[in-house]
Amino acid sequence: MKTDRLIGIITTIQQKGTVTAPYLAEKFGVSRRTINRDIEDICKAGIPLLTKQGAGGGISIMEGFSLDAAVLTGLRSLDSVSKAPASDLLAAKLGADTDIPRDMEIDLASFYKNDLAEKIETIRRAVKETRRIVFHYYYAKGEADKLVEPYRVVFRWGDWYVFGFCPAREDFRLYKLRRLWNLNVTDEFFTPREVPPEKEPNRSRTESMTDDYIVTAVYEPAVKYRLVEEYGPASFITREDGKLYTEWGFSTPEDALRWLLSFGVDVQVTAPPEMVKKMRSAIKKMKKRYKT
């Protein structure tokens, strides 16, 4: 792929200092004309390459400039959800002396890596071919078969989604890949639609979600780490007795209930009365279920 070759050219020049166009052409198995075009593209991307003619000349990177190692680290992170290891392929093309950074590891996969990689590959193929996809989806209110026009695969808020248009709802939606199964690409083609700015999935979580259902609760000190992890250390007030007071907004009462129940005996809801009632009802149901 051209992208691999461009990264390879930059890395090779970094390692060797100065190289010739014939050397690069032979190394990457392309013509000198292709290498010359690649050099132009690299310069257009903002990486300053210098060309010196004559004996001892060649192509080099402007003194003081170095390729951010995060580029290769990011490439390696994609290996965790790819069927073909991009970083290893790149290393093989560059030679055994290539030093892909190992001081940071990013694993974007989950416990079902193989299924996730398969889903991502299938969705990307459908996006490229502008073909609709079908899948079975599980959500809070039940489950259903979906037909969607896929636009891109998105990694947001610590999870993977497919962003697309749902003809049935006539709206753009994000579908979590962990809830999406029996995925298939159909023979139906679609014409990409213009995505309204307010529907773009790259908006922040606070912009795309309305958290106006306010719940007041008190948590035990033992679960402070969870509050910090989710909302930060300034999200609660530590009382004199050591307990943690919070007043947070949730998208829906159902979302609030699921979050609060996950703390078991380490939380006490104080308001609104409706949520206190929901907690009592849920606890009563659990008690009845485990009654012997």
Side-chain angles (χ1 to χ4, degrees):
M1 292 178 63
K2 181 176 180 179
T3 302
D4 289 347
R5 190 173 68 248
L6 294 179
I7 296 176
I9 291 172
I10 298 168
T11 308
T12 300
I13 296 174
Q14 275 196 302
Q15 292 173 344
K16 296 187 175 295
T18 301
V19 297
T20 64
Y23 172 84
L24 292 174
E26 182 179 356
K27 183 177 181 65
F28 294 100
V30 296
S31 67
R32 284 190 59 179
R33 180 176 294 181
T34 297
I35 291 296
N36 290 335
R37 285 198 296 264
D38 288 345
I39 296 302
E40 290 179 6
D41 289 340
I42 292 171
C43 289
K44 290 177 181 177
I47 299 175
L49 297 184
L50 304 178
T51 302
K52 183 180 179 180
Q53 303 295 331
I59 305 165
S60 61
I61 298 179
M62 181 181 293
E63 187 177 351
F65 183 90
S66 63
L67 177 65
D68 192 343
V71 173
L72 294 177
T73 301
L75 187 63
R76 179 167 291 282
S77 73
L78 292 177
D79 289 352
S80 62
V81 289
S82 300
K83 301 184 76 174
S87 61
D88 289 343
L89 290 175
L90 178 57
K93 290 181 180 180
L94 299 179
D97 58 344
T98 301
D99 182 21
I100 294 181
R102 303 281 178 171
D103 59 345
M104 180 183 295
E105 182 175 339
I106 305 172
D107 191 342
L108 301 176
S110 65
F111 65 91
Y112 65 103
K113 174 184 175 180
N114 292 335
D115 290 315
L116 181 59
E118 184 73 36
K119 290 175 183 177
I120 291 175
E121 184 176 276
T122 299
I123 294 169
R124 292 184 67 191
R125 176 165 61 88
V127 172
K128 184 177 180 180
E129 299 173 359
T130 60
R131 291 164 59 183
R132 290 176 169 179
I133 56 174
V134 291
F135 52 84
H136 193 70
Y137 197 67
Y138 298 84
Y139 53 103
K141 296 182 180 180
E143 55 189 274
D145 292 321
K146 299 288 185 180
L147 173 68
V148 171
E149 298 172 359
Y151 280 63
R152 72 196 75 149
V153 176
V154 179
F155 184 77
R156 295 285 290 171
W157 314 312
D159 229 320
W160 288 95
Y161 301 80
V162 55
F163 174 69
F165 184 83
C166 176
R169 293 185 174 274
E170 298 186 342
D171 198 7
F172 289 92
R173 296 293 177 94
L174 278 171
Y175 298 92
K176 187 176 288 190
L177 297 196
R178 286 194 294 167
R179 299 180 184 175
L180 180 160
W181 297 92
N182 302 329
L183 171 67
N184 285 290
V185 181
T186 73
D187 294 327
E188 300 179 35
F189 293 92
F190 67 92
T191 301
R193 309 163 190 265
E194 184 176 350
V195 183
E198 67 274 12
K199 294 292 183 178
E200 281 289 351
N202 59 2
R203 303 172 73 212
S204 70
R205 189 167 190 170
T206 54
E207 288 179 315
S208 58
M209 295 183 178
T210 303
D211 296 332
D212 54 6
Y213 185 78
I214 307 300
V215 176
T216 300
V218 178
Y219 297 81
E220 294 295 327
V223 296
K224 179 188 289 188
Y225 73 96
R226 285 192 59 188
L227 308 189
V228 172
E229 179 182 325
E230 185 72 15
Y231 293 98
S235 62
F236 52 84
I237 297 173
T238 303
R239 303 193 319 189
E240 290 185 3
D241 59 3
K243 295 186 178 183
L244 314 172
Y245 172 86
T246 67
E247 189 173 323
W248 292 340
F250 293 86
S251 298
T252 65
E254 290 71 28
D255 286 342
L257 183 63
R258 281 191 292 270
W259 162 264
L260 294 163
L261 286 174
S262 71
F263 286 88
V265 297
D266 289 323
V267 65
Q268 180 181 0
V269 179
T270 58
E274 171 194 334
M275 183 52 61
V276 175
K277 185 177 180 180
K278 284 181 178 292
M279 289 288 288
R280 285 175 179 163
S281 176
I283 293 170
K284 186 179 294 185
K285 288 179 181 178
M286 285 190 287
K287 184 177 179 181
K288 183 178 180 180
R289 177 166 293 177
Y290 288 100
K291 188 176 181 180
T292 57

